[in-house]
Amino acid sequence: MSIHENLLGGPAPTHLPDDPEPRELLAAGTAPADVAAKYPKSSLAWAQLADEAFEGGRVVESYAYARTGYHRGLDALRRAGWKGHGPVPFEHEPNRGFLRALHALARAAQAIGEQDEYERCSTFLRDSSQTAADILG
């Protein structure tokens, strides 16, 4: 038996394909806006833009960046076979951009008073990856 075998009969975890270039550019200190412009499908670049905007007090801007990263991530998940539910493990590094964007969207939604969206996104994050919910806050 594999340690990743799903004993509950639910959907298998979704693992996004690796796209190392945006991650490597960000790690090397390239501005997230430059990475997002070069790799607009990168949820990680959009999530980092959302984090920077939020930390700078630009909450609406953060919300917009997070929403973009979230939707780019949903597109990637669907291409990877995700059917709208099931685990998206934080432990798989290529999934982290989507999960970070989802967290950023929840955070920004709460900050602008979109309580329903905050709750929906927070639940979606926990349902996708409890690890991500614990680490990201």
Side-chain angles (χ1 to χ4, degrees):
M1 176 186 315
S2 166
I3 62 169
H4 298 290
E5 185 175 343
N6 186 342
L7 300 176
L8 299 177
T14 301
H15 295 101
L16 292 173
D18 197 15
D19 187 11
E21 293 86 5
R23 186 175 64 245
E24 291 167 358
L25 286 170
L26 291 165
T30 303
D34 293 338
V35 177
K38 186 171 183 177
Y39 298 97
K41 292 181 182 179
S42 172
S43 288
L44 182 60
W46 294 106
Q48 195 157 324
L49 281 166
D51 288 346
E52 288 181 359
F54 194 84
E55 290 165 9
R58 300 181 317 276
V59 177
V60 172
E61 187 178 321
S62 177
Y63 180 87
Y65 287 140
R67 181 161 285 290
T68 300
Y70 165 77
H71 281 287
R72 291 298 190 148
L74 287 177
D75 292 343
L77 286 169
R78 289 181 186 114
R79 283 192 303 274
W82 183 75
K83 303 293 186 212
H85 65 285
V88 181
F90 186 80
E91 294 80 3
H92 181 67
E93 190 168 7
N95 290 352
R96 291 181 185 174
F98 166 73
L99 295 166
R100 284 183 55 193
L102 179 57
H103 169 262
L105 183 56
R107 178 187 60 205
Q110 184 179 41
I112 64 171
E114 285 285 338
Q115 191 63 25
D116 289 345
E117 185 168 31
Y118 163 72
E119 291 172 10
R120 178 184 58 79
C121 290
S122 295
T123 298
F124 187 10
L125 182 63
R126 280 190 311 277
D127 289 350
S128 296
S129 172
Q130 185 60 53
T131 301
D134 292 343
I135 290 172
L136 299 172

